[in-house]
Amino acid sequence: MSANRVDENLWVRQFHPAPTAATRLVCLPHAGGSASYFFPVSKALAPGVDVLAVQYPGRQDRRHEACIDDIAELADAVTAELLPLADRPLVLFGHSMGASLAFEVGVRLEKEGIVPLALFASGRRAPSRHRVETVHLRSDDEIIAELKALSGTQSAVLADEEILRMVLPAIRSDYKAAETYRHTGGARLAAPIQAHFGVDDPRVSRDEAAAWADHTSGGFELASYPGGHFYLNEQAPRVIEAIARVTSTAVA
């Protein structure tokens, strides 16, 4: 697959191209997140793994595009972009909303005959576990308060009122996608699933994370870490190590 295939793709960012890597890691951001959140992951795994970070419409260089506030629609679009990049084994990693999206992308890929090496579901309850959440219906100030409580946006952005107001439409759209997502049932992945979560995360309990086991006919692992919803910010080395163990199986 040529480098231009990625370079010209609005959806997929490749910060450290790894043309000789045996596997590709596809990273799907959280609500309000962007592809650049995974720059450190890409740097840590290159050149052994070709890291592809998904950029949703409505943010950063895609800020003038309409946001997509439906997980199924988003999964259809992401899958279409990944199919030409599936010439090497894929590993899917999604955090928070990105975990739900990664699952739906995995389902679609497997329908096309592409079984990922693994799905890493981080900071999100299993698709079969629902909560009534209405953050996307709240006022701008209330959404900002939610972001601050979860530490889900860089402190510099939270401190800059102008920038924060500019990105709020994308954040609200993502929250709507995450909160209105409902698993239709039936679909299970052949790919193994690893669920990772922070023990102090108010958005996912151990039981809700463990329920990811019901969504795969492959193996399942559960890993907990100190920290809250964005435990990743401090625990990235341990999570990256877990990813590296999976990607190394494609080389062995």
Side-chain angles (χ1 to χ4, degrees), residues 159-222:
D160 191 315
E161 185 75 12
E162 184 176 354
I163 294 178
L164 188 54
R165 297 290 173 181
M166 184 174 65
V167 300
L168 270 175
I171 294 171
R172 185 184 295 278
S173 175
D174 287 353
Y175 265 98
K176 181 180 179 182
E179 293 178 342
T180 59
Y181 168 64
R182 294 294 182 268
H183 176 51
T184 55
R188 301 176 78 201
L189 294 182
I193 294 177
Q194 289 194 25
H196 296 245
F197 71 104
V199 294
D200 297 318
D201 188 351
R203 293 300 180 193
V204 54
S205 68
R206 174 177 289 273
D207 180 64
E208 289 171 325
W212 278 98
D214 299 331
H215 297 278
T216 176
S217 59
F220 176 73
E221 294 182 35
L222 180 66

Side-chain angles (χ1 to χ4, degrees), residues 3-137:
N4 287 337
R5 175 78 70 173
V6 176
D7 292 342
E8 298 169 0
N9 194 320
L10 289 173
W11 285 85
V12 179
R13 305 302 155 90
Q14 193 178 39
F15 301 117
H16 304 89
T20 62
T23 58
R24 285 188 159 125
L25 172 69
V26 179
C27 298
L28 298 140
H30 54 278
S34 60
S36 58
Y37 181 75
F38 294 104
F39 183 93
V41 176
S42 176
K43 184 177 181 180
L45 289 172
V49 179
D50 193 29
V51 178
L52 308 178
V54 172
Q55 183 80 310
Y56 308 140
R59 64 221 64 209
Q60 292 185 335
D61 59 332
R62 301 190 71 187
R63 63 186 178 279
H64 298 302
E65 299 179 50
C67 298
I68 298 177
D69 61 7
D70 179 81
I71 291 292
E73 183 180 348
L74 201 52
D76 288 342
V78 171
T79 303
E81 299 297 333
L82 291 180
L83 286 174
L85 300 172
D87 55 329
R88 302 179 226 172
L90 300 177
V91 175
L92 303 177
F93 181 96
H95 181 66
S96 194
M97 179 191 81
S100 299
L101 178 58
F103 173 75
E104 291 294 336
V105 169
V107 169
R108 286 158 174 76
L109 287 173
E110 292 194 356
K111 286 181 178 178
E112 297 293 330
I114 300 166
V115 178
L117 285 178
L119 163 65
F120 284 81
S122 169
R124 187 66 176 168
R125 59 187 177 271
S128 54
R129 297 301 182 93
H130 303 305
R131 294 187 187 185
V132 177
E133 296 176 319
T134 58
V135 174
H136 71 282
L137 297 176

